[in-house]
């Protein structure tokens, strides 16, 4: 699977996720080279408190947008998901963090 990111987006995404210890997935139109889409969708799997979760989401967004004007959407789900969350998670075409580097294709 190839992902659509410019070099600047790729490096900004890598930097923004550098200190995140959670499971990380890239999903949405950027995981399909045949689709068109503007924003970058990131999913984190985290069991932190709501306050910590919000802080993490803001941190990733702030670091990413410091280097690019691209929009990033950060969604956070718990590891123990309810039925609707699990359905959403399973419906995604997603690329795990370790696959982002190997799937990277310059736009």
């Amino acid at each position: 699977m190839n992902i659509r990111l410019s070099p600047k987006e790729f490096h900004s995404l890598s930097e923004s996720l550098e200190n995140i210890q959670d499971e990380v997935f890239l999903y949405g139109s950027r995981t399909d080279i045949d689709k068109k889409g503007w924003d970058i969708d990131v999913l984190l799997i985290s069991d932190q408190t709501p306050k910590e979760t919000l802080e993490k989401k803001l941190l990733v967004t702030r670091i990413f947008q410091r280097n690019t004007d691209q929009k990033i959407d950060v969604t956070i789900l718990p590891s123990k998901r309810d039925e609707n969350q699990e359905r959403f998670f399973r419906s995604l075409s997603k690329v795990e963090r370790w696959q982002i580097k190997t799937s990277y294709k310059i736009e």
Side-chain angles (χ1 to χ4, degrees):
M1 176 182 294
N2 289 322
I3 56 176
R4 292 182 306 105
L5 295 172
S6 71
K8 188 175 189 178
E9 292 165 346
F10 175 77
H11 294 294
S12 293
L13 185 61
S14 297
E15 182 182 348
S16 67
L17 297 173
E18 187 173 31
N19 294 318
I20 301 297
Q21 301 302 313
D22 304 311
E23 283 185 87
V24 175
F25 298 92
L26 183 67
Y27 71 97
S29 61
R30 294 304 188 106
T31 62
D32 186 338
I33 60 171
D34 295 324
K35 288 186 179 177
K36 300 292 181 202
W38 177 253
D39 65 335
I40 296 172
D41 298 304
V42 175
L43 173 65
L44 305 178
I45 306 299
S46 178
D47 290 321
Q48 294 181 314
T49 67
K51 181 180 180 204
E52 292 169 323
T53 299
L54 178 59
E55 289 171 355
K56 185 177 292 189
K57 182 176 182 171
L58 293 173
L59 178 66
V60 169
T61 302
R62 188 170 45 251
I63 292 172
F64 181 80
Q65 291 181 331
R66 177 175 58 198
N67 299 316
T68 180
D69 59 354
Q70 185 61 264
K71 184 175 183 239
I72 186 170
D73 289 328
V74 180
T75 302
I76 301 177
L77 289 177
S79 60
K80 294 181 181 178
R81 297 176 279 279
D82 66 28
E83 188 177 320
N84 289 331
Q85 292 168 329
E86 187 62 26
R87 192 175 309 119
F88 169 74
F89 181 75
R90 290 185 184 276
S91 74
L92 300 176
S93 172
K94 52 193 171 295
V95 176
E96 293 182 62
R97 180 200 311 245
W98 65 269
Q99 294 174 309
I100 292 173
K101 191 170 188 177
T102 60
S103 301
Y104 173 61
K105 179 177 187 279
I106 296 176
E107 233 180 22

